Amino acid sequence: MQSGLPSADAIRDEGAACPDHAALEEFRLKWLGKKGEVTALMKTLGPLAPELRAERGAAINAVKDAAVTAFEARRAELDRQAEDAALQAGWVDVTAPARGRPLGKLHPITVLLEEVIDHFTGLGFEVASGPEIEDEFHNFDALNIPKDHPARDVWDTFYTDRREIPRTHTSSVQIRAMQTRKPPIRVISPGRVFRNETIDATHHASFNQVEGLLVDRHVTVAHLKHTLETLVQKLMGRKLETRFRPAFYPFVEPGLDLDVQCVFCGGVGCSICKGSGYIELIPGGLVHPKVLASCGLDPDEWQGFAFGMGFDRMVMMRYGIDDIRRLYDGRLQLVRQF
Ligand code: DAH
């Protein structure tokens, strides 16, 4: 010790002896804190004569440096020890096989849609698309649904401020297909449609349809029937009983509904098919002569069939999903697979 000051060695030893970060913090406060030794020593400089003050000031600075060095050295050591301990605790076995990540899955709508597209492209159909925001001509007029005709009320239509229509059905794409192609025409058009519906287990304000259109010479209901029956068989993986019932849609004549044997009860009758043994699945018919004409096709030369399947219902039947909201709320659970 020189002139009553602690030696650098003593300070270094004291720092090195701190067992942990808490003790080291005490060491720092003791030497370097505001009320610490170095500050106290500095205060003793005031009364000294200038030449003595310089010399003693330098010696006090050496004490301070020793404390800072001791503190930093020990802190680095303690930090390293802490890191080593953390590594030990979470020891990584680099030879272990990698942990699997949960895989994303395709949405059932996508899965079935890909099958439908595959089926129809195999039959020579192409996939056509149209805008989701339509005009009245494509959504209604050209489909033989005139303005102010009560048939328009069937589609609970949304309108935008500019009287555009979030399309109520994919039938609008029929019109676009006939306007842009020359027969023979074979297209399907999957897509979203929008209706001002109160949402419940069987209704949604936005859902999916797949429209189909074939225009050629000598087309009959038999072609439509066969096309739809093979589609159902393919999608359901087995032959199901089907039947056609007459139905009215302004853009087809005759209009028909294809019913399929209820997959829930096997045709015996249950609450889902309301005791009938059948589920109404695909509406369609022969393209109305007025619709052909509105697209510039001569109805005496060309005929066609069209259908528009509510795609969500198909998905629900296939996967046993009993509430349409499940398809859109991101909490999809498969109940049963048919
Ligand atoms: N567009 C009709 C709807 O949304 C479904 C439909 C019925 C489409 C008969 C057709 C058809 O192509 O021929 O209710």
Side-chain angles (χ1 to χ4, degrees):
M1 208 184 276
Q2 185 210 355
S3 38
L5 293 177
S7 76
D9 283 354
I11 293 174
R12 192 193 56 225
D13 291 349
E14 191 183 323
C18 292
D20 52 28
H21 282 94
L24 184 63
E25 179 60 9
E26 270 172 38
F27 168 85
R28 188 186 69 79
L29 289 173
K30 174 184 166 194
W31 290 102
L32 303 165
K34 257 193 204 149
K35 293 177 184 160
E37 298 284 337
V38 171
T39 312
L41 287 169
M42 289 294 186
K43 283 183 183 154
T44 63
L45 288 176
L48 294 182
E51 60 279 9
L52 279 179
R53 197 189 295 158
E55 195 184 315
R56 195 169 166 82
I60 294 173
N61 271 334
V63 168
K64 182 181 173 188
D65 289 349
V68 170
T69 310
F71 170 76
E72 284 176 351
R74 184 61 184 153
R75 186 174 59 179
E77 228 166 56
L78 288 173
D79 284 352
R80 222 173 14 251
Q81 282 173 12
E83 260 172 44
D84 285 353
L87 253 184
Q88 292 276 356
W91 188 249
V92 178
D93 178 359
V94 292
T95 65
R99 233 178 276 149
R101 281 197 203 163
L103 282 180
K105 294 254 168 59
L106 291 178
H107 193 284
I109 290 180
T110 308
V111 173
L112 207 62
L113 187 54
E114 282 178 1
E115 281 180 37
V116 170
I117 290 175
D118 193 50
H119 176 74
F120 278 106
T121 50
L123 294 172
F125 283 69
E126 46 175 319
V127 178
S129 64
E132 289 183 348
I133 302 293
E134 266 295 3
D135 50 50
E136 291 197 53
F137 177 77
H138 290 92
N139 198 86
F140 288 133
D141 301 339
L143 286 162
N144 192 31
I145 315 169
K147 280 186 189 43
D148 307 321
H149 191 283
R152 249 186 218 205
D153 300 344
V154 176
W155 289 272
D156 304 290
T157 313
F158 286 119
Y159 286 92
T160 70
D161 293 345
R162 286 182 280 165
R163 256 194 107 68
E164 294 153 325
I165 299 171
R167 64 179 177 195
T168 58
H169 49 189
T170 44
S171 298
S172 54
V173 187
Q174 273 190 42
I175 304 301
R176 292 181 178 277
M178 285 190 270
Q179 285 175 326
T180 53
R181 289 166 175 77
K182 286 203 174 352
I185 299 169
R186 274 175 284 184
V187 294
I188 55 161
S189 182
R192 275 206 154 194
V193 302
F194 306 89
R195 291 193 196 167
N196 193 356
E197 293 265 14
T198 306
I199 296 172
D200 62 24
T202 52
H203 299 90
H204 213 286
S206 164
F207 52 97
N208 288 275
Q209 286 188 334
V210 178
E211 190 78 12
L213 171 74
L214 179 143
V215 179
D216 208 328
R217 294 178 214 274
H218 315 301
V219 178
T220 70
V221 170
H223 296 116
L224 173 64
K225 190 162 189 277
H226 180 74
T227 305
L228 296 185
E229 277 174 353
T230 45
L231 173 68
V232 169
Q233 186 172 345
K234 173 91 174 267
L235 294 185
M236 292 300 161
R238 64 199 151 103
K239 198 162 170 42
L240 292 170
E241 216 47 60
T242 56
R243 71 177 185 195
F244 267 132
R245 267 184 307 106
F248 172 73
Y249 301 98
F251 29 91
V252 278
E253 180 55 42
L256 306 157
D257 278 336
L258 178 84
D259 292 350
V260 178
Q261 177 194 336
C262 178
V263 290
F264 294 93
C265 64
V268 185
C270 66
S271 62
I272 295 175
C273 62
K274 300 190 184 78
S276 74
Y278 284 90
I279 291 185
E280 189 184 315
L281 202 58
I282 311 179
L286 294 188
V287 181
H288 197 291
K290 282 191 181 168
V291 174
L292 292 167
S294 73
C295 299
L297 297 176
D298 178 358
D300 290 332
E301 188 179 359
W302 303 104
Q303 299 83 47
F305 69 67
F307 60 89
M309 100 175 127
F311 196 64
D312 302 44
R313 181 175 292 185
M314 199 78 152
V315 174
M316 289 164 73
M317 272 178 74
R318 159 92 164 252
Y319 290 103
I321 296 165
D322 60 3
D323 188 328
I324 190 170
R325 292 168 290 194
R326 293 287 93 79
L327 290 179
Y328 297 104
D329 69 3
R331 285 184 289 117
L332 204 62
Q333 286 176 340
L334 296 191
V335 185
R336 234 164 110 192
Q337 184 147 16
F338 294 96

